[in-house]
Amino acid sequence: LNFSVYVNGVGQILTALFCPMVLAGAFTFVCFEHPGSSRSSLQEDPEVFCQEDEWAASRLPVGLASFAVAILFYAFCVFAGFSAPKMADADRRISFMLKRFRPDCTYWHLSVLTRNMMLALCPIFAPDNVFVGAVSISFTCIFYTALVSLTLPYKLYAISCLDVIANMS
């Protein structure tokens, strides 16, 4: 089989799993302090104390591996996105990044991944302050919506309009 088939298959899967990978890595480090104690627990599992043996043995490796895969995939997409205009057969080699977007928007997959990463990390910025999380999500959506409105990156105009509407709601 052709190597491009594998790259595109894995690229599609990693694109779909990008947000969960970032969240899994980030939630490893979201802890809250117990009242009257110097220890802190994971927000998603209060029985696990942060920076102690069980956390370091079970949660930390999974969180770091999840972050590492997400960051390596993002780095690959940055490299491939900026190399695509120079590639002879980019539409075949990295079609998972290019097939939805206009030929002059080879970088747009990076914009989608960046938006998804920012949305996944918004609750992590200030886990105890919902207002900061809500403002971060709103700012991310407004900024991304403005970029979509200016560039209309999708091959079909209707999809760009739907993306704008979905981000505004």
Side-chain angles (χ1 to χ4, degrees), residues 6-128:
Y6 293 117
V7 170
N8 287 311
V10 171
Q12 281 293 104
I13 291 168
L14 289 177
T15 298
L17 295 177
F18 188 72
C19 279
M21 287 188 302
V22 171
L23 280 171
F27 277 133
T28 303
F29 301 101
V30 177
C31 302
F32 69 94
E33 291 187 25
H34 286 280
S37 174
S38 62
R39 297 166 73 179
S40 59
S41 293
L42 281 176
Q43 188 169 2
E44 68 176 3
D45 189 1
E47 296 169 1
V48 176
F49 292 104
C50 294
Q51 297 151 358
E52 292 192 3
D53 292 339
E54 182 183 356
W55 176 82
S58 64
R59 302 299 176 105
L60 185 61
V62 172
L64 291 177
S66 180
F67 258 145
V69 171
I71 296 303
L72 287 173
F73 177 65
Y74 189 80
F76 169 79
C77 288
V78 168
F79 174 75
F82 287 107
S83 299
K86 299 174 203 119
M87 278 188 217
D89 55 349
D91 57 333
R92 186 180 57 81
R93 288 177 146 185
I94 54 172
S95 66
F96 77 95
M97 291 178 61
L98 305 176
K99 65 183 171 191
R100 294 175 288 173
F101 308 112
R102 292 190 339 244
D104 61 327
C105 293
T106 58
Y107 58 88
W108 197 257
H109 188 77
L110 300 174
S111 301
V112 174
L113 285 180
T114 303
R115 183 219 35 204
N116 291 347
M117 182 169 33
M118 293 303 296
L119 289 175
L121 292 175
C122 280
I124 310 304
F125 293 143
D128 298 331

